[in-house]
Amino acid sequence: MATHINENVRKHLVVLTGAGMSAESGFETFRDAGGLWERYPVEQVATPEGWQADPTLVTTFYNGLRRQLVNASPNAGHRALAAMEAHYRVTVVTQNVDDLHERAGSTHVIHLHGELMKVCSSRDPDNPRFIRTLTADDVEVQPGTRSADGSLERPWIVWFGEAVPNLGIAADAVAQADAFAIIGSSLNVYPAAGLVRYVRPEVPVFVIDPKAVRVPTTRHFEMISDVASRGVDTLAERLAALWA
């Protein structure tokens, strides 16, 4: 007879991932030197005002990002994080708009900033009736395409100046964590960077990044100075020792 695993008994790992998580997959980041923001001003392609001024430019920009994404693959860090679900409850809270966590096998992913492979109504962006998922074989949206409500179809991305609809869900997950890890995030973008403040005082915090990261908290955290592809394995070793 199969044994049912009680998810409430298993330790709960919550992970916040940023652009550094996907950098090794060849998916271009926005903020690093040579990143997308240096070539495409944020005001043009990642704000409601930019959309209103030139929806064709914005649509074309995200079409290009999707073409890049379907040619990228999950890296060892994505896969190692997904593999940890065999031992723990794992909730991934990601600032990334790619689908690499899901493609690696992670089953509980909370997207803070939207999902690149989805488009929505520009009049009512978070209405699930008007959210459409694109496929790897059909990643381009023709400029002028209309959503089912008659408005222009736009990327399902949380742009600068817009509310983060999944923030409350993410904060609740962090508050329930038995361990919290930050992987590949500069912690420069709020409100996501503030999630560490929801971690309970007794819960260990790990930071995985090859660069120094300024964590907005006075509490102790353990730094793993490495890229995601190796750092997640180190995290798994630390957790195995901690929860032996």
Side-chain angles (χ1 to χ4, degrees), residues 100-136:
L100 296 174
H101 282 298
E102 289 91 342
R103 284 159 58 187
S106 288
T107 60
H108 189 196
V109 183
I110 301 170
H111 284 270
L112 290 177
H113 297 155
E115 298 181 54
L116 183 58
M117 293 299 288
K118 294 182 178 180
V119 289
C120 61
S121 156
S122 55
R123 181 182 302 136
D124 193 6
D126 295 316
N127 189 325
R129 291 193 301 151
F130 307 128
I131 295 174
R132 182 168 67 94
T133 301
L134 303 174
T135 66

Side-chain angles (χ1 to χ4, degrees), residues 93 109-115 156 158 163-171:
V93 179
V109 183
I110 301 170
H111 284 270
L112 290 177
H113 297 155
E115 298 181 54
W156 195 53
V158 178
V164 180
N166 284 337
L167 183 64
I169 297 170

Side-chain angles (χ1 to χ4, degrees), residues 11-29:
K11 293 293 188 180
H12 187 192
L13 170 65
V14 179
V15 181
L16 173 66
T17 66
M21 186 82 210
S22 298
E24 294 176 85
S25 293
F27 189 59
E28 199 167 12
T29 61

